[in-house]
Structure formats: C-alpha cells, structure tokens
Amino acid sequence: MKRFPENFLWGGAVSAHQCEGAWQEGGKGISIADVMTAGTRLSPRRITEGIVEGERYPNHEGIDFYHTFEEDLALLGELGLKCFRTSIAWTRIFPRGDEEEPNEEGLRFYDRLFDACRKYGMEPVVTLSHFETPYALVKEYGGWRNRKLIGFFERYARVVMERYGTKVKYWMTFNEINHCKPDSRLGMWLAGALRCEKGEEAQACAQAVHNMFVAGARAVRIGRTLGKEIRTGCMIGYIPYYPATCDPKDVAAAEARGREDYFFLDVMTKGVYPYYKTKQYEKAGIVLETQERDWEDLREGTVDYIGFSYYMSNVYGADESRMTVSSGGIIKTMKNPYLKETLWGWAIDPEGLRIALNRLYDRYGLPLMVVENGYGAYDKREPDGSILDEDRIAYFRAHIEAMGEAVSEDGVALMGYTPWGCIDLVSASTGEMEKRYGFIYVDLDNQGNGTGKRFRKKSFGWYQKVIETNGEIV
C-alpha cells in the first residue's frame, strides 16, 4: 500500500519577513516584524518603539530573497518541490495598511515571484498575514483590537487574491493565529494586538481575535468568488498536550490547555463560538464589540482546509509552578523524560505528529496540510564544503514515517507537507540566523556577516529522493 496519494504536495515553507529583506525597497512600509531586535536562545527578542538607532533588526536583511528569489527557487525546483509556501508582506502592497490604493511595485514583485514558482514546477501556497501586520496599524489604530482593521485586511486580501487568482490555488489567512493569547506578550505582538493598557490584555486579545476571525472569514468568501480550484485555509500552531500524570486533575488541565487552541479551529471551521469559550468570556467579564454581519461572515466563511505547524509535543498539568518556558520560545511545558529535545528545549516527538493528525481529522473532518515542521540546529560547513546534517535527516525521516502511518494506516486526509525553512532564514522566535532549518545553507551569521552564498546540505539530496519516490524511500 502506498503511503501518500499521487498528488501529494511535497514542499517547503518560508515567510516574507524572515527571508525577503529589502525592508524599505519597492515602496515597502514598516511591519511589526521590522521593529523586533535580534535575540538568542538565551535572551529574547525585544520590541522597540519604532526603529531605534544602534539596534540590530535581522529581518531588515533576511537572506536577501527579494533579490535572489529566482536563483533560490531554481534550487528548490532542483530539490523537486511540488509546492512552495510563502507569505505576502502586507506592507509591500499597502505600506501603512490604511491606504485606498495598493502599491503597484509591490504587486509586481509577487507577480514575478509566483511566476518563478510555477516556472520551476511549484504551486505557491500563500499566507496572507504571517506576523506582518503594518506597524502603522498597531501604532495609530491599536492593532487588531480595532474593528477598522477588518476592513483594511479585507481590502488587502481582495487586491492580492484577485490579482493572483490564476497563479495561486492555495491560500491561508493568519499564520499561527492561536498564539494570540493574553499571557504571551510576544504572541500578542506577532498577531498585531499588543497596544493595550496593563490589565486589559484579556479583553484586548479577545477582541483582536474576534476581529481576525471576521477578517479571515471574509478572505475565505473572497476566495470562493474566484473559481472552484481556489482553496482557502486557516493555520494554527498545533501542539499535542500530554497530561503530566494519570491524576485526573492533570488530565483535566491538559484537556483544558488543548481547548485553548481548539477554540480557534472551532470558530474557523464551524462558524460559531464554542460553548466553553462563551462561558469563559462570561465568567471573565469579557464583552465583544460585534456587528450582526460578523455572524454571517463566520458562518459563510468557514475554511476549506486546515494548515498547521508541528514542531513538538508538550506536557501539562494542574500545578503550573512545575512548568517553564522552553528556551527561546513562548510555550510553557514540563520536561518529557521519554523524549529527546533540541537545543531550544523543543521535544522531538514524531509519534506526536501522528497523534496530532488523528486528533485534528477526527475533530474536524477537513483535509489537513502540515505547513511547518522542522529541526533547528547549529549547522557547520566541513573543510571540504559539505554540511552533514544527519540529525535533521533523522528528524524528518521519523516525522515523514509518522505522517505516512496516519495516512495509510489511519485514513487521515493529508494534502501536503511543507517543512519549515527549506532554505536557511531568520528565526522568528529568537532572531538568530544561525538557528538553521534549511536543506540549503545560507552563508550568513547572526550579525549578518558572510557571503550570502547558498550551499546544498546532505539533507538536500535525501529530501530530493523522498520526493522522487513520493515518500516510499525515507
């Protein structure tokens, strides 16, 4: 029995703000990613009030993909990718976010980019908002807690989806929308929802999330006017939570933690708020500002598929004092004694991916796509120029085998797989360049020094063979 369908989308993933650079070229405006400083796995990135002289902002340069995309996509075409997941930098199209007319130079850039994808045999899979909310919308409007952003986003989505409707079949609305939580400053910032007074985080976050739900639903409805081939999905960061013990209190705590993420999918796939979130808001005194049209949008704008990232599983229990935030991350967890970890404290759990696929398909019954999965490591070039990333190959091999079992043994409907950072880029969580994920090595360090040249890692040839055999050889 074949493990993957013949039309399976083997691919790779990046985001505009982590790779493009050219942060002020082509009429581009400032995004929320442009005011995030460099960090490390031991020191978090900081968010500055505008651009501060003397600070280092690694997203400003990225890997210069804005100028090198033709050569990079040729390499990824050689790798054999069937699809390429990227995002559109909102501020290349609407530099402030509130303009009436788009920036034509930005639109032309993505025309060239998507044409190049198709030239090298790759379907573009495009995220509309991948932590790239225009900074002006956060600074001047208060971010996504302001309902005006629904209209601004709808205008942006309509412009790009209609412009590229013949070039892009697969769209996603907001990247890892579920990271917008009141106890995560970084998560709220990445969602463009931070501008609120201390103590107002829960109300502000709830309103911001609601507004994003409505905006995303409107984008889905736009997609449905463009033809039967267009598919618009959502995207969350999914982590299976295991109870710390079989104590019912720990089991209940892990279940409750899981619902914090399911809430987002419940709304985006079913078009209504689930009972448990309605009750939680009622108890917390949270009152949403809504309009009658919102509920129609949510009902009519349910997604066509679910995209999700999977990097790790976590352990959760009733005693939160036993939990810590993983290095360079924003997720609370306990150590799992049965699993190894990356240097960033992320549990390596391929079986957890099979569990995730089954949980999501069982709960929602929609086609799934694993749009991020990857192994961050400090790679090095050997004296002969080779990059022997054996640990990365082992990581991917185990996760692809788990996916294959979920499809062929369990019956999960899986559309595709786009490993994160198929070419090295700036880490979102830490701002490091040297936290590498790619099959292609980019010769740049954390300070931006280096030639910028691209080199194939050992994993390049390995993944090439996986794609050639449609996952039969791993």
Side-chain angles (χ1 to χ4, degrees), residues 288-320:
L288 297 176
E289 178 190 352
T290 66
Q291 295 179 4
E292 188 61 32
R293 181 188 168 185
D294 293 0
W295 311 111
E296 177 187 350
D297 285 328
L298 294 180
R299 286 192 304 270
E300 299 296 324
T302 55
V303 295
D304 300 317
Y305 69 94
I306 294 171
F308 70 99
S309 61
Y310 176 82
Y311 292 97
M312 72 197 94
S313 60
N314 279 347
V315 177
Y316 209 83
D319 183 3
E320 290 202 19

PDB file of all heavy atoms in Angstrom, residues 288-320:
ATOM      1  N   LEU A 288     -17.533  41.334  23.813  1.00  0.00           N
ATOM      2  CA  LEU A 288     -17.016  41.639  22.488  1.00  0.00           C
ATOM      3  C   LEU A 288     -17.855  42.711  21.799  1.00  0.00           C
ATOM      4  O   LEU A 288     -19.093  42.718  21.916  1.00  0.00           O
ATOM      5  CB  LEU A 288     -17.017  40.382  21.618  1.00  0.00           C
ATOM      6  CG  LEU A 288     -16.128  39.222  22.074  1.00  0.00           C
ATOM      7  CD1 LEU A 288     -16.326  38.027  21.147  1.00  0.00           C
ATOM      8  CD2 LEU A 288     -14.661  39.631  22.108  1.00  0.00           C
ATOM      9  N   GLU A 289     -17.167  43.584  21.092  1.00  0.00           N
ATOM     10  CA  GLU A 289     -17.842  44.534  20.206  1.00  0.00           C
ATOM     11  C   GLU A 289     -18.059  43.819  18.878  1.00  0.00           C
ATOM     12  O   GLU A 289     -17.096  43.458  18.196  1.00  0.00           O
ATOM     13  CB  GLU A 289     -16.990  45.783  20.001  1.00  0.00           C
ATOM     14  CG  GLU A 289     -17.608  46.792  19.041  1.00  0.00           C
ATOM     15  CD  GLU A 289     -16.653  47.905  18.658  1.00  0.00           C
ATOM     16  OE1 GLU A 289     -15.553  47.986  19.248  1.00  0.00           O
ATOM     17  OE2 GLU A 289     -17.014  48.677  17.736  1.00  0.00           O
ATOM     18  N   THR A 290     -19.308  43.586  18.517  1.00  0.00           N
ATOM     19  CA  THR A 290     -19.614  42.848  17.304  1.00  0.00           C
ATOM     20  C   THR A 290     -20.684  43.580  16.504  1.00  0.00           C
ATOM     21  O   THR A 290     -21.352  44.489  17.005  1.00  0.00           O
ATOM     22  CB  THR A 290     -20.121  41.424  17.611  1.00  0.00           C
ATOM     23  OG1 THR A 290     -21.382  41.505  18.276  1.00  0.00           O
ATOM     24  CG2 THR A 290     -19.135  40.666  18.490  1.00  0.00           C
ATOM     25  N   GLN A 291     -20.839  43.148  15.268  1.00  0.00           N
ATOM     26  CA  GLN A 291     -21.919  43.617  14.415  1.00  0.00           C
ATOM     27  C   GLN A 291     -22.656  42.403  13.869  1.00  0.00           C
ATOM     28  O   GLN A 291     -22.097  41.298  13.796  1.00  0.00           O
ATOM     29  CB  GLN A 291     -21.371  44.479  13.274  1.00  0.00           C
ATOM     30  CG  GLN A 291     -20.724  45.760  13.749  1.00  0.00           C
ATOM     31  CD  GLN A 291     -20.152  46.592  12.613  1.00  0.00           C
ATOM     32  OE1 GLN A 291     -20.295  46.248  11.439  1.00  0.00           O
ATOM     33  NE2 GLN A 291     -19.496  47.695  12.971  1.00  0.00           N
ATOM     34  N   GLU A 292     -23.898  42.583  13.478  1.00  0.00           N
ATOM     35  CA  GLU A 292     -24.717  41.461  13.006  1.00  0.00           C
ATOM     36  C   GLU A 292     -24.053  40.743  11.837  1.00  0.00           C
ATOM     37  O   GLU A 292     -24.106  39.522  11.714  1.00  0.00           O
ATOM     38  CB  GLU A 292     -26.102  41.977  12.590  1.00  0.00           C
ATOM     39  CG  GLU A 292     -27.089  40.864  12.273  1.00  0.00           C
ATOM     40  CD  GLU A 292     -27.359  39.961  13.468  1.00  0.00           C
ATOM     41  OE1 GLU A 292     -27.325  40.451  14.618  1.00  0.00           O
ATOM     42  OE2 GLU A 292     -27.581  38.752  13.235  1.00  0.00           O
ATOM     43  N   ARG A 293     -23.385  41.506  10.972  1.00  0.00           N
ATOM     44  CA  ARG A 293     -22.748  40.897   9.804  1.00  0.00           C
ATOM     45  C   ARG A 293     -21.652  39.913  10.210  1.00  0.00           C
ATOM     46  O   ARG A 293     -21.341  38.993   9.465  1.00  0.00           O
ATOM     47  CB  ARG A 293     -22.182  41.988   8.895  1.00  0.00           C
ATOM     48  CG  ARG A 293     -21.536  41.408   7.642  1.00  0.00           C
ATOM     49  CD  ARG A 293     -20.797  42.417   6.809  1.00  0.00           C
ATOM     50  NE  ARG A 293     -19.983  41.744   5.803  1.00  0.00           N
ATOM     51  CZ  ARG A 293     -19.149  42.378   4.983  1.00  0.00           C
ATOM     52  NH1 ARG A 293     -19.015  43.690   5.062  1.00  0.00           N
ATOM     53  NH2 ARG A 293     -18.426  41.693   4.102  1.00  0.00           N
ATOM     54  N   ASP A 294     -21.024  40.120  11.375  1.00  0.00           N
ATOM     55  CA  ASP A 294     -19.935  39.236  11.808  1.00  0.00           C
ATOM     56  C   ASP A 294     -20.367  37.777  11.787  1.00  0.00           C
ATOM     57  O   ASP A 294     -19.631  36.895  11.329  1.00  0.00           O
ATOM     58  CB  ASP A 294     -19.496  39.576  13.238  1.00  0.00           C
ATOM     59  CG  ASP A 294     -18.835  40.935  13.354  1.00  0.00           C
ATOM     60  OD1 ASP A 294     -18.705  41.633  12.326  1.00  0.00           O
ATOM     61  OD2 ASP A 294     -18.456  41.300  14.481  1.00  0.00           O
ATOM     62  N   TRP A 295     -21.552  37.514  12.287  1.00  0.00           N
ATOM     63  CA  TRP A 295     -22.000  36.125  12.437  1.00  0.00           C
ATOM     64  C   TRP A 295     -22.315  35.500  11.093  1.00  0.00           C
ATOM     65  O   TRP A 295     -22.087  34.295  10.899  1.00  0.00           O
ATOM     66  CB  TRP A 295     -23.196  36.084  13.391  1.00  0.00           C
ATOM     67  CG  TRP A 295     -22.880  36.858  14.640  1.00  0.00           C
ATOM     68  CD1 TRP A 295     -23.415  38.035  15.051  1.00  0.00           C
ATOM     69  CD2 TRP A 295     -21.869  36.529  15.617  1.00  0.00           C
ATOM     70  NE1 TRP A 295     -22.835  38.462  16.213  1.00  0.00           N
ATOM     71  CE2 TRP A 295     -21.876  37.566  16.590  1.00  0.00           C
ATOM     72  CE3 TRP A 295     -20.965  35.473  15.760  1.00  0.00           C
ATOM     73  CZ2 TRP A 295     -21.021  37.568  17.692  1.00  0.00           C
ATOM     74  CZ3 TRP A 295     -20.105  35.471  16.849  1.00  0.00           C
ATOM     75  CH2 TRP A 295     -20.133  36.512  17.802  1.00  0.00           C
ATOM     76  N   GLU A 296     -22.782  36.301  10.154  1.00  0.00           N
ATOM     77  CA  GLU A 296     -22.972  35.804   8.792  1.00  0.00           C
ATOM     78  C   GLU A 296     -21.625  35.488   8.160  1.00  0.00           C
ATOM     79  O   GLU A 296     -21.451  34.450   7.509  1.00  0.00           O
ATOM     80  CB  GLU A 296     -23.714  36.835   7.941  1.00  0.00           C
ATOM     81  CG  GLU A 296     -23.889  36.404   6.485  1.00  0.00           C
ATOM     82  CD  GLU A 296     -24.473  37.490   5.607  1.00  0.00           C
ATOM     83  OE1 GLU A 296     -24.922  38.522   6.157  1.00  0.00           O
ATOM     84  OE2 GLU A 296     -24.474  37.313   4.378  1.00  0.00           O
ATOM     85  N   ASP A 297     -20.656  36.400   8.340  1.00  0.00           N
ATOM     86  CA  ASP A 297     -19.317  36.159   7.798  1.00  0.00           C
ATOM     87  C   ASP A 297     -18.725  34.865   8.349  1.00  0.00           C
ATOM     88  O   ASP A 297     -18.162  34.057   7.599  1.00  0.00           O
ATOM     89  CB  ASP A 297     -18.391  37.334   8.128  1.00  0.00           C
ATOM     90  CG  ASP A 297     -18.659  38.559   7.269  1.00  0.00           C
ATOM     91  OD1 ASP A 297     -19.063  38.391   6.099  1.00  0.00           O
ATOM     92  OD2 ASP A 297     -18.471  39.680   7.766  1.00  0.00           O
ATOM     93  N   LEU A 298     -18.826  34.671   9.655  1.00  0.00           N
ATOM     94  CA  LEU A 298     -18.250  33.469  10.261  1.00  0.00           C
ATOM     95  C   LEU A 298     -18.929  32.208   9.744  1.00  0.00           C
ATOM     96  O   LEU A 298     -18.268  31.197   9.479  1.00  0.00           O
ATOM     97  CB  LEU A 298     -18.353  33.538  11.782  1.00  0.00           C
ATOM     98  CG  LEU A 298     -17.532  34.634  12.476  1.00  0.00           C
ATOM     99  CD1 LEU A 298     -17.737  34.577  13.983  1.00  0.00           C
ATOM    100  CD2 LEU A 298     -16.050  34.509  12.143  1.00  0.00           C
ATOM    101  N   ARG A 299     -20.255  32.247   9.594  1.00  0.00           N
ATOM    102  CA  ARG A 299     -20.988  31.074   9.096  1.00  0.00           C
ATOM    103  C   ARG A 299     -20.660  30.780   7.633  1.00  0.00           C
ATOM    104  O   ARG A 299     -20.494  29.624   7.258  1.00  0.00           O
ATOM    105  CB  ARG A 299     -22.507  31.299   9.231  1.00  0.00           C
ATOM    106  CG  ARG A 299     -23.054  31.209  10.639  1.00  0.00           C
ATOM    107  CD  ARG A 299     -24.585  31.152  10.625  1.00  0.00           C
ATOM    108  NE  ARG A 299     -25.182  32.284   9.917  1.00  0.00           N
ATOM    109  CZ  ARG A 299     -25.517  33.432  10.478  1.00  0.00           C
ATOM    110  NH1 ARG A 299     -25.290  33.623  11.771  1.00  0.00           N
ATOM    111  NH2 ARG A 299     -26.067  34.395   9.754  1.00  0.00           N
ATOM    112  N   GLU A 300     -20.572  31.830   6.829  1.00  0.00           N
ATOM    113  CA  GLU A 300     -20.367  31.651   5.393  1.00  0.00           C
ATOM    114  C   GLU A 300     -18.896  31.557   5.013  1.00  0.00           C
ATOM    115  O   GLU A 300     -18.580  31.162   3.893  1.00  0.00           O
ATOM    116  CB  GLU A 300     -21.009  32.818   4.634  1.00  0.00           C
ATOM    117  CG  GLU A 300     -22.513  32.937   4.833  1.00  0.00           C
ATOM    118  CD  GLU A 300     -23.253  31.732   4.289  1.00  0.00           C
ATOM    119  OE1 GLU A 300     -22.823  31.202   3.245  1.00  0.00           O
ATOM    120  OE2 GLU A 300     -24.257  31.318   4.914  1.00  0.00           O
ATOM    121  N   GLY A 301     -18.000  31.906   5.931  1.00  0.00           N
ATOM    122  CA  GLY A 301     -16.569  31.938   5.612  1.00  0.00           C
ATOM    123  C   GLY A 301     -15.765  30.875   6.322  1.00  0.00           C
ATOM    124  O   GLY A 301     -14.610  31.111   6.690  1.00  0.00           O
ATOM    125  N   THR A 302     -16.359  29.692   6.509  1.00  0.00           N
ATOM    126  CA  THR A 302     -15.603  28.593   7.118  1.00  0.00           C
ATOM    127  C   THR A 302     -14.567  28.076   6.116  1.00  0.00           C
ATOM    128  O   THR A 302     -14.799  28.071   4.903  1.00  0.00           O
ATOM    129  CB  THR A 302     -16.526  27.455   7.560  1.00  0.00           C
ATOM    130  OG1 THR A 302     -17.312  27.032   6.456  1.00  0.00           O
ATOM    131  CG2 THR A 302     -17.428  27.910   8.693  1.00  0.00           C
ATOM    132  N   VAL A 303     -13.428  27.613   6.633  1.00  0.00           N
ATOM    133  CA  VAL A 303     -12.274  27.320   5.787  1.00  0.00           C
ATOM    134  C   VAL A 303     -12.441  26.010   5.016  1.00  0.00           C
ATOM    135  O   VAL A 303     -13.218  25.129   5.388  1.00  0.00           O
ATOM    136  CB  VAL A 303     -10.988  27.273   6.629  1.00  0.00           C
ATOM    137  CG1 VAL A 303     -10.687  28.644   7.208  1.00  0.00           C
ATOM    138  CG2 VAL A 303     -11.064  26.213   7.721  1.00  0.00           C
ATOM    139  N   ASP A 304     -11.661  25.889   3.943  1.00  0.00           N
ATOM    140  CA  ASP A 304     -11.689  24.696   3.088  1.00  0.00           C
ATOM    141  C   ASP A 304     -10.745  23.601   3.571  1.00  0.00           C
ATOM    142  O   ASP A 304     -10.942  22.430   3.250  1.00  0.00           O
ATOM    143  CB  ASP A 304     -11.301  25.081   1.656  1.00  0.00           C
ATOM    144  CG  ASP A 304     -12.242  26.112   1.054  1.00  0.00           C
ATOM    145  OD1 ASP A 304     -13.460  25.968   1.246  1.00  0.00           O
ATOM    146  OD2 ASP A 304     -11.748  27.058   0.415  1.00  0.00           O
ATOM    147  N   TYR A 305      -9.717  23.985   4.298  1.00  0.00           N
ATOM    148  CA  TYR A 305      -8.757  23.006   4.823  1.00  0.00           C
ATOM    149  C   TYR A 305      -8.057  23.604   6.036  1.00  0.00           C
ATOM    150  O   TYR A 305      -8.161  24.814   6.294  1.00  0.00           O
ATOM    151  CB  TYR A 305      -7.739  22.572   3.759  1.00  0.00           C
ATOM    152  CG  TYR A 305      -6.753  23.645   3.334  1.00  0.00           C
ATOM    153  CD1 TYR A 305      -5.500  23.761   3.938  1.00  0.00           C
ATOM    154  CD2 TYR A 305      -7.066  24.542   2.309  1.00  0.00           C
ATOM    155  CE1 TYR A 305      -4.597  24.729   3.534  1.00  0.00           C
ATOM    156  CE2 TYR A 305      -6.173  25.523   1.903  1.00  0.00           C
ATOM    157  CZ  TYR A 305      -4.929  25.605   2.527  1.00  0.00           C
ATOM    158  OH  TYR A 305      -4.036  26.582   2.140  1.00  0.00           O
ATOM    159  N   ILE A 306      -7.370  22.759   6.778  1.00  0.00           N
ATOM    160  CA  ILE A 306      -6.646  23.194   7.970  1.00  0.00           C
ATOM    161  C   ILE A 306      -5.145  23.016   7.731  1.00  0.00           C
ATOM    162  O   ILE A 306      -4.669  21.909   7.474  1.00  0.00           O
ATOM    163  CB  ILE A 306      -7.059  22.379   9.211  1.00  0.00           C
ATOM    164  CG1 ILE A 306      -8.518  22.651   9.565  1.00  0.00           C
ATOM    165  CG2 ILE A 306      -6.156  22.705  10.403  1.00  0.00           C
ATOM    166  CD1 ILE A 306      -9.067  21.732  10.642  1.00  0.00           C
ATOM    167  N   GLY A 307      -4.416  24.123   7.808  1.00  0.00           N
ATOM    168  CA  GLY A 307      -2.964  24.068   7.818  1.00  0.00           C
ATOM    169  C   GLY A 307      -2.480  24.214   9.246  1.00  0.00           C
ATOM    170  O   GLY A 307      -3.084  24.938  10.038  1.00  0.00           O
ATOM    171  N   PHE A 308      -1.417  23.515   9.583  1.00  0.00           N
ATOM    172  CA  PHE A 308      -0.891  23.664  10.944  1.00  0.00           C
ATOM    173  C   PHE A 308       0.605  23.402  10.972  1.00  0.00           C
ATOM    174  O   PHE A 308       1.151  22.710  10.120  1.00  0.00           O
ATOM    175  CB  PHE A 308      -1.629  22.742  11.932  1.00  0.00           C
ATOM    176  CG  PHE A 308      -1.364  21.266  11.779  1.00  0.00           C
ATOM    177  CD1 PHE A 308      -0.456  20.618  12.603  1.00  0.00           C
ATOM    178  CD2 PHE A 308      -2.037  20.524  10.830  1.00  0.00           C
ATOM    179  CE1 PHE A 308      -0.218  19.253  12.472  1.00  0.00           C
ATOM    180  CE2 PHE A 308      -1.817  19.161  10.691  1.00  0.00           C
ATOM    181  CZ  PHE A 308      -0.898  18.522  11.518  1.00  0.00           C
ATOM    182  N   SER A 309       1.242  24.013  11.967  1.00  0.00           N
ATOM    183  CA  SER A 309       2.655  23.737  12.219  1.00  0.00           C
ATOM    184  C   SER A 309       2.750  22.693  13.318  1.00  0.00           C
ATOM    185  O   SER A 309       1.930  22.656  14.237  1.00  0.00           O
ATOM    186  CB  SER A 309       3.395  25.014  12.632  1.00  0.00           C
ATOM    187  OG  SER A 309       2.860  25.550  13.823  1.00  0.00           O
ATOM    188  N   TYR A 310       3.759  21.844  13.205  1.00  0.00           N
ATOM    189  CA  TYR A 310       4.022  20.868  14.256  1.00  0.00           C
ATOM    190  C   TYR A 310       5.536  20.774  14.440  1.00  0.00           C
ATOM    191  O   TYR A 310       6.263  20.369  13.531  1.00  0.00           O
ATOM    192  CB  TYR A 310       3.475  19.479  13.907  1.00  0.00           C
ATOM    193  CG  TYR A 310       3.858  18.459  14.969  1.00  0.00           C
ATOM    194  CD1 TYR A 310       3.108  18.350  16.132  1.00  0.00           C
ATOM    195  CD2 TYR A 310       4.997  17.680  14.838  1.00  0.00           C
ATOM    196  CE1 TYR A 310       3.480  17.475  17.137  1.00  0.00           C
ATOM    197  CE2 TYR A 310       5.379  16.799  15.839  1.00  0.00           C
ATOM    198  CZ  TYR A 310       4.622  16.702  16.987  1.00  0.00           C
ATOM    199  OH  TYR A 310       5.009  15.837  17.993  1.00  0.00           O
ATOM    200  N   TYR A 311       5.984  21.160  15.615  1.00  0.00           N
ATOM    201  CA  TYR A 311       7.401  21.059  15.958  1.00  0.00           C
ATOM    202  C   TYR A 311       7.631  20.147  17.157  1.00  0.00           C
ATOM    203  O   TYR A 311       8.711  19.556  17.288  1.00  0.00           O
ATOM    204  CB  TYR A 311       7.965  22.445  16.288  1.00  0.00           C
ATOM    205  CG  TYR A 311       8.041  23.370  15.108  1.00  0.00           C
ATOM    206  CD1 TYR A 311       7.040  24.300  14.867  1.00  0.00           C
ATOM    207  CD2 TYR A 311       9.114  23.320  14.226  1.00  0.00           C
ATOM    208  CE1 TYR A 311       7.103  25.155  13.782  1.00  0.00           C
ATOM    209  CE2 TYR A 311       9.189  24.168  13.133  1.00  0.00           C
ATOM    210  CZ  TYR A 311       8.174  25.089  12.920  1.00  0.00           C
ATOM    211  OH  TYR A 311       8.243  25.928  11.832  1.00  0.00           O
ATOM    212  N   MET A 312       6.655  20.060  18.057  1.00  0.00           N
ATOM    213  CA  MET A 312       6.887  19.410  19.343  1.00  0.00           C
ATOM    214  C   MET A 312       5.581  19.019  19.982  1.00  0.00           C
ATOM    215  O   MET A 312       4.506  19.479  19.575  1.00  0.00           O
ATOM    216  CB  MET A 312       7.620  20.376  20.283  1.00  0.00           C
ATOM    217  CG  MET A 312       6.716  21.514  20.782  1.00  0.00           C
ATOM    218  SD  MET A 312       7.570  22.922  21.475  1.00  0.00           S
ATOM    219  CE  MET A 312       7.655  23.972  20.012  1.00  0.00           C
ATOM    220  N   SER A 313       5.662  18.169  20.977  1.00  0.00           N
ATOM    221  CA  SER A 313       4.566  17.958  21.917  1.00  0.00           C
ATOM    222  C   SER A 313       4.983  18.577  23.246  1.00  0.00           C
ATOM    223  O   SER A 313       6.167  18.855  23.467  1.00  0.00           O
ATOM    224  CB  SER A 313       4.291  16.468  22.098  1.00  0.00           C
ATOM    225  OG  SER A 313       5.445  15.806  22.597  1.00  0.00           O
ATOM    226  N   ASN A 314       4.022  18.805  24.118  1.00  0.00           N
ATOM    227  CA  ASN A 314       4.314  19.362  25.435  1.00  0.00           C
ATOM    228  C   ASN A 314       3.595  18.576  26.523  1.00  0.00           C
ATOM    229  O   ASN A 314       2.670  17.812  26.248  1.00  0.00           O
ATOM    230  CB  ASN A 314       3.902  20.833  25.516  1.00  0.00           C
ATOM    231  CG  ASN A 314       4.937  21.764  24.909  1.00  0.00           C
ATOM    232  OD1 ASN A 314       6.063  21.364  24.640  1.00  0.00           O
ATOM    233  ND2 ASN A 314       4.559  23.004  24.682  1.00  0.00           N
ATOM    234  N   VAL A 315       4.035  18.787  27.742  1.00  0.00           N
ATOM    235  CA  VAL A 315       3.445  18.132  28.911  1.00  0.00           C
ATOM    236  C   VAL A 315       2.814  19.199  29.782  1.00  0.00           C
ATOM    237  O   VAL A 315       3.415  20.248  30.036  1.00  0.00           O
ATOM    238  CB  VAL A 315       4.515  17.350  29.706  1.00  0.00           C
ATOM    239  CG1 VAL A 315       3.908  16.726  30.953  1.00  0.00           C
ATOM    240  CG2 VAL A 315       5.155  16.283  28.827  1.00  0.00           C
ATOM    241  N   TYR A 316       1.590  18.937  30.237  1.00  0.00           N
ATOM    242  CA  TYR A 316       0.866  19.940  31.009  1.00  0.00           C
ATOM    243  C   TYR A 316       0.209  19.280  32.220  1.00  0.00           C
ATOM    244  O   TYR A 316      -0.160  18.106  32.168  1.00  0.00           O
ATOM    245  CB  TYR A 316      -0.211  20.593  30.133  1.00  0.00           C
ATOM    246  CG  TYR A 316      -0.527  22.020  30.509  1.00  0.00           C
ATOM    247  CD1 TYR A 316       0.256  23.066  30.041  1.00  0.00           C
ATOM    248  CD2 TYR A 316      -1.600  22.313  31.336  1.00  0.00           C
ATOM    249  CE1 TYR A 316      -0.040  24.383  30.382  1.00  0.00           C
ATOM    250  CE2 TYR A 316      -1.904  23.624  31.669  1.00  0.00           C
ATOM    251  CZ  TYR A 316      -1.114  24.649  31.197  1.00  0.00           C
ATOM    252  OH  TYR A 316      -1.392  25.950  31.535  1.00  0.00           O
ATOM    253  N   GLY A 317       0.089  20.062  33.291  1.00  0.00           N
ATOM    254  CA  GLY A 317      -0.531  19.535  34.498  1.00  0.00           C
ATOM    255  C   GLY A 317      -1.217  20.610  35.307  1.00  0.00           C
ATOM    256  O   GLY A 317      -1.196  21.801  34.955  1.00  0.00           O
ATOM    257  N   ALA A 318      -1.825  20.203  36.397  1.00  0.00           N
ATOM    258  CA  ALA A 318      -2.580  21.131  37.232  1.00  0.00           C
ATOM    259  C   ALA A 318      -1.677  22.090  37.990  1.00  0.00           C
ATOM    260  O   ALA A 318      -2.078  23.206  38.318  1.00  0.00           O
ATOM    261  CB  ALA A 318      -3.456  20.350  38.210  1.00  0.00           C
ATOM    262  N   ASP A 319      -0.446  21.676  38.290  1.00  0.00           N
ATOM    263  CA  ASP A 319       0.494  22.507  39.046  1.00  0.00           C
ATOM    264  C   ASP A 319       1.370  23.291  38.076  1.00  0.00           C
ATOM    265  O   ASP A 319       2.395  22.806  37.605  1.00  0.00           O
ATOM    266  CB  ASP A 319       1.350  21.631  39.957  1.00  0.00           C
ATOM    267  CG  ASP A 319       2.297  22.446  40.828  1.00  0.00           C
ATOM    268  OD1 ASP A 319       2.246  23.696  40.756  1.00  0.00           O
ATOM    269  OD2 ASP A 319       3.095  21.828  41.569  1.00  0.00           O
ATOM    270  N   GLU A 320       0.958  24.524  37.766  1.00  0.00           N
ATOM    271  CA  GLU A 320       1.687  25.317  36.781  1.00  0.00           C
ATOM    272  C   GLU A 320       3.075  25.721  37.258  1.00  0.00           C
ATOM    273  O   GLU A 320       3.930  26.092  36.459  1.00  0.00           O
ATOM    274  CB  GLU A 320       0.879  26.555  36.391  1.00  0.00           C
ATOM    275  CG  GLU A 320      -0.347  26.234  35.567  1.00  0.00           C
ATOM    276  CD  GLU A 320      -0.829  27.426  34.762  1.00  0.00           C
ATOM    277  OE1 GLU A 320      -0.032  28.371  34.554  1.00  0.00           O
ATOM    278  OE2 GLU A 320      -1.990  27.415  34.353  1.00  0.00           O
TER     279      GLU A 320
END
